[in-house]
Amino acid sequence: MPNPKTFDIPPPDTKRSLEKQGIPEARSPREIEALFHHRSPEGLNRMGREVCETVHGDSVYLRGLIEFTNYCTSNCLYCGIRRENQKVHRYRMDEAQILDTVAQGVKLGFKTFVLQGGEDPKWTVDRICRLVESIKSATQGRAAVTLSCGMKSRRAYQRFSDAGADRYLLRFETSDPELHQRLRDGQTLDHRLAALEGIKAAGFQVGSGFMTGLPGETPQTRLDNILLCQSLGLDMVGIGPFIPHPDTPLAREASRGLALALQGTALLRLALPLAHIPATTAAGSIAENGREQMLLCGANVLMPNITPSLFKKSYLLYPGKICIEENCAQSLAHLEATLPKIGRRLSYERADAIKPPPWGHSRHLPKGGRYG
Ligand code: 5AD
Ligand code: SF4
């Protein structure tokens, strides 16, 4: 089991100053473990929601997701765009198409763009750096750029960061080392965690996360997943239910539904009160109102898919993905209309990571929440 450090748990003095300002304090690993074993799902979800509302108020932050390539040299057993899936129609957007998508997103009010793709050798480090620079210059440096394009060298992460990228997402997928190696076709958890260290060292706001309900995971894996996120001191955590894809080796595995992802969301909110936690598309794809349910137990971010529809339908990591038919403006209008029904509202803030130290400086906290 990973050895949780107390990275994000402030020393006693700081704790007192946090408490004075009403900033919720992270639960200790031991408290998380007790909650995991003994709290009812309803109780846990309510706790997650309350902490989320204390930190972020009713704001739900927006990120525009651009799936810029579905070529991938990796072969993760769970993933629909794995190298060996011959049925995938492969595409890669070019610079002009991506910049055009960003421009449309800016018009709709997006201030953060997430460039997500497979591990595509044609999108070289140089090319990605130039793309980041172009997005920054096209948006007068105002838009935040998040990269999510897999495992790269430490030097590559540094170059991305120097080119102006702000955030990097790399899920560790599961904290069980054997399961990780089996499901990621021989790649090790240690290697993944070393990559996350490189990402942090490059100065990025760091995002990671995992899938829930993977075949072979145990309750201990689920608890360890949360504790690993806490020990990594993540700024952003993305989780979602595993959904078996028919053209992968895991096609015949069962789906475990949404409940485990909801439990994970609530525990993560208690373990990392300040983190940005998206209500993910995978949640919305296996359950009616799945994203709303995630928002109601601790998630505070939505990532509408703004990839041009021509490409979107070929980026199928799992089947049944929602919003493939919607265009970007329709997705936003839909969210604007539905969020108030659960007491939340879309926020067009850029919403950078909330860095705790120096603790208690409310100017580091986003607008919209209790500290806005
Ligand atoms: N079901 C759910 N999520 C998946 N991902 C990949 N394949 C699947 C699947 N079958 C997730 C992984 C990856 C993220 C981009 O999508 O966690 O990191
Ligand atoms: Fe490639 Fe990511 Fe899919 Fe693995 S999960 S095959 S790295 S796109």
Side-chain angles (χ1 to χ4, degrees):
M1 120 164 214
N3 177 22
K5 288 177 255 154
T6 48
F7 182 88
D8 64 331
I9 297 172
D13 279 3
T14 325
K15 265 189 183 176
R16 268 192 293 280
S17 109
L18 280 178
E19 276 159 16
K20 238 190 280 161
Q21 297 177 77
I23 298 177
E25 187 192 301
R27 302 288 173 140
S28 70
R30 200 177 298 170
E31 288 171 314
I32 294 292
E33 186 173 359
L35 290 166
F36 176 81
H37 289 299
H38 303 300
R39 262 305 153 118
S40 68
E42 300 73 35
L44 202 54
N45 295 353
R46 198 187 53 245
M47 288 172 79
R49 176 162 71 243
E50 283 170 4
V51 170
C52 188
E53 282 170 3
T54 305
V55 178
H56 299 289
D58 60 358
S59 304
V60 175
Y61 302 113
L62 268 185
R63 283 70 167 96
L65 178 67
I66 307 175
E67 296 162 333
F68 71 103
T69 172
N70 72 352
Y71 282 87
C72 190
T73 51
S74 275
N75 210 23
C76 307
L77 270 61
Y78 41 79
C79 177
I81 63 168
R82 64 200 298 270
R83 185 183 70 226
E84 281 175 12
N85 185 3
Q86 310 279 331
K87 293 197 189 161
V88 178
H89 167 73
R90 303 281 170 180
Y91 73 85
R92 86 171 41 89
M93 291 172 71
D94 65 22
E95 283 79 353
Q97 290 166 325
I98 297 171
L99 285 167
D100 194 45
T101 308
V102 167
Q104 291 183 33
V106 167
K107 276 198 206 130
L108 291 168
F110 285 92
K111 295 197 183 62
T112 292
F113 296 93
V114 180
L115 299 174
Q116 187 173 90
E119 292 174 349
D120 179 354
K122 289 270 166 60
W123 265 104
T124 59
V125 174
D126 259 350
R127 225 180 134 190
I128 293 175
C129 286
R130 273 182 276 127
L131 175 66
V132 170
E133 285 160 3
S134 305
I135 295 174
K136 284 285 171 172
S137 100
T139 60
Q140 292 81 44
R142 284 198 279 269
V145 176
T146 305
L147 294 177
S148 176
C149 48
M151 301 279 282
K152 308 281 172 191
S153 66
R154 277 181 94 95
R155 182 162 156 64
Y157 296 134
Q158 191 60 60
R159 290 188 51 207
F160 294 153
S161 173
D162 293 346
D166 305 88
R167 311 172 185 159
Y168 204 101
L169 305 177
L170 186 80
R171 290 187 182 180
F172 58 76
E173 313 294 5
T174 176
S175 60
D176 175 330
E178 276 97 58
L179 187 62
H180 185 104
Q181 198 160 349
R182 182 147 44 87
L183 296 185
R184 299 205 54 253
D185 200 37
Q187 301 195 50
T188 65
L189 178 63
D190 278 353
H191 193 205
R192 198 75 167 173
L193 296 180
L196 281 166
E197 266 175 35
I199 290 167
K200 191 160 198 161
F204 280 110
Q205 298 169 37
V206 185
S208 189
F210 54 88
M211 278 171 283
T212 56
L214 280 171
E217 92 181 15
T218 63
Q220 187 63 48
T221 318
R222 295 196 260 282
L223 174 60
D224 289 348
N225 285 342
I226 306 291
L227 298 180
L228 180 54
C229 288
Q230 188 181 53
S231 74
L232 291 167
L234 298 174
D235 302 304
M236 304 164 284
V237 196
I239 72 168
F242 159 68
I243 306 174
H245 188 295
D247 304 320
T248 63
L250 303 185
R252 298 163 74 87
E253 299 292 344
S255 158
R256 298 286 313 270
L258 187 62
L260 296 176
L262 298 180
Q263 178 196 43
T265 305
L267 287 166
L268 280 171
R269 177 55 68 202
L270 300 170
L272 289 164
L274 303 180
H276 288 303
I277 303 178
T280 48
T281 308
S285 302
I286 57 159
E288 182 82 12
N289 301 324
R291 289 182 302 178
E292 288 81 354
Q293 292 188 60
M294 270 182 104
L295 289 171
L296 286 174
C297 57
N300 71 313
V301 170
L302 280 168
M303 295 171 56
N305 190 337
I306 65 170
T307 311
S309 17
L310 176 64
F311 305 116
K312 234 198 288 210
K313 60 179 184 302
S314 299
Y315 199 90
L316 288 186
L317 308 182
Y318 47 81
K321 191 168 143 187
I322 51 168
C323 305
I324 293 190
E325 303 301 334
E326 273 184 348
N327 70 32
C328 179
Q330 285 167 332
S331 306
L332 275 189
H334 177 75
L335 294 172
E336 295 269 16
T338 52
L339 286 180
K341 294 183 190 154
I342 57 165
R344 306 286 275 277
R345 59 171 184 90
L346 275 189
S347 163
Y348 289 82
E349 293 293 311
R350 195 178 122 126
D352 280 288
I354 308 168
K355 295 286 184 193
W359 293 87
H361 284 219
S362 53
R363 65 195 154 84
H364 292 286
L365 293 164
K367 290 208 180 79
R370 175 168 173 173
Y371 308 103

